[in-house]
Amino acid sequence: MVGALRLILGDQLTRGVSCLNDINLKKDYVFMVEVHDETVYVKHHKQKIVLLLSAMRHFAEDLKQEGLNVTSVRLEDKGNTGSFTGELYRAIKKLKPSKLIVTEPGEYRVRKMMDSWQDEFNLPVEIRGDDRFFATPAEFSEWAQPRKELRMEFFYREMRKKSGLLMKGKDPEGGQWNFDAENRKALSPKEKIPERLRFAPDAITKEVMDLVARRFADHPGSLASFGWPVTRKAALKALDHFISFCLPRFGDVQDAMKGGEPFLFHALLSPALNCGLLLPLEICRAAERAYHQGHAPLNAVEGFIRQILGWREYVRGLYWHVMPDYARSNALEATRPLPEFYWTGDTDMNCLKHCVKDTMDNAYAHHIQRLMVLGNFALLAGIRPSEVEDWFLAVYADAYEWVELPNVHGMALYADGGLLASKPYAASGAYIDRMSDYCASCRFSPKAKEAEKLCPFTPLYWAFLERNRKRLAKNSRLFMPYRSLDSMAEPIRKRHLATAEAFLSSL
Ligand code: FAD
Ligand code: DLZ
Ligand code: SF4
């Protein structure tokens, strides 16, 4: 007699995941399924599919080694119905378990499926909370409910107190909660960029790479440089390497960009973290230890921990607090289609060309590339939020809707009208010039006097402000930009607006 069937999803590859708690090794079955629907609900980057399928296969092997009964279905298996529901139906028919146990998923789409399973299978379904986060969705909602504005900084402070990370009793380490002001330096051309730890594909990964190259040839991205960790052991090595060689400089140059250097001092841990190979607490503790051992300065360690304990938790809480309505808002009424160069990199704008190339080569771009180049362009050009969101969800190895959507919809596009960000992250080419070396080899320049050479971000920026005057002019944080626009000589203002119009029509 089979006991419980315990489903593990592709982003739940953690031995301590709640659906495995109290497992009966003799009677229960663990169920893992590779399904077509999950590989194509957006056209995922090839590396993202390889990461997930290879990590799932390794994880299933580890569980088997440990003596658990594991049933896995492979993508190419005969009879694979292609969906979670279809595969569960087949497994339940075959094994006749007494109940189904799952951990809540990371996406609303899958949650809706789960909610239908009890009736669909006529079987008790237990949906357990995902305790791999610092805060539960209910805790976030309790924090958010009485507030008009949901600013990350205040939620982050609650998480510092709750976790005790970087706390000295009741006070923050160093007497300040946030050292962000120290973390906006440009990169010196002499800065030595550390070599990154990438992992050569083993036999399991190679087999999956062949499968993906054949079956998903029309999906974006290249497999040539695949080097993501696909096991917990490798992910722990990647963490160690980051703490030893990158964390000390992470803070200072966190916002910098450099052509041909996609990784700089960033952690590269989000693909492993988001599929469960690493846990947020162990990453934060490792960084905190580096600070206490004098290996990394406080601005770097606080800045890094804030990304995970603050931003990551905050966007997850926000997602579950406001879904499904959140995805439907379009506060700036942006309706332009996504330009083709987001897939091909075929544009004269050097910053975009580099960021798209990095993305397609590695299924990765760092935060400022995502926000201030790729996101900023979509914001200024008024690209329809759902098209931008589908792109971001498809091309990054760390992308799941719970984390992608608030970052794109709220942070990059201001499509939620300011629920997440107190003002749009709109910037002209001068910002990109200050924080990168992209402009030096671009056919445009933010400083050019001639209209045909002027960086397109500049007219797009002013046209964005003009277009959204009614919606944004009252925002006190945009007082200065609107004052600059209003004090601009009329012929120059008109020229910017006409140039932006012509540029947008040419897209
Ligand atoms: P580091 O820069 O070294 O940061 C350390 C860790 O902090 C990351 O691993 C990540 O877990 C966490 N983190 C940092 N910033 C954020 C954030 N804003 N939200 C949530 N976690 C954060 N992150 C994703 O994990 N998946 C996404 O799909 C995703 N889409 C994004 C889309 C846009 C438009 C923007 C602006 C940001 C997005 N981010 C996303 C956040 C951030 O860019 C990535 O987490 C980060 O680039 C991952 O690389 P890293 O591990 O080298 O991070
Ligand atoms: C992203 C992904 C892919 C490409 N393939 C699978 C899969 O075959 N099987 C699976 O269980 N999960 C996969 N995933 C991750 C899921 O899409 C993810 O678990 C859901 O979006 C819920 O967060
Ligand atoms: Fe990008 Fe403008 Fe700089 Fe060219 S000049 S790299 S388009 S910011």
Side-chain angles (χ1 to χ4, degrees), residues 250 266-270 274 307-308 364 367 370 398-399 407:
F250 171 86
H266 289 274
L268 315 187
L269 293 176
S270 51
N274 292 352
Q307 306 310 312
I308 294 179
Y364 176 88
H367 187 70
R370 297 189 205 195
D398 56 23
N407 270 299

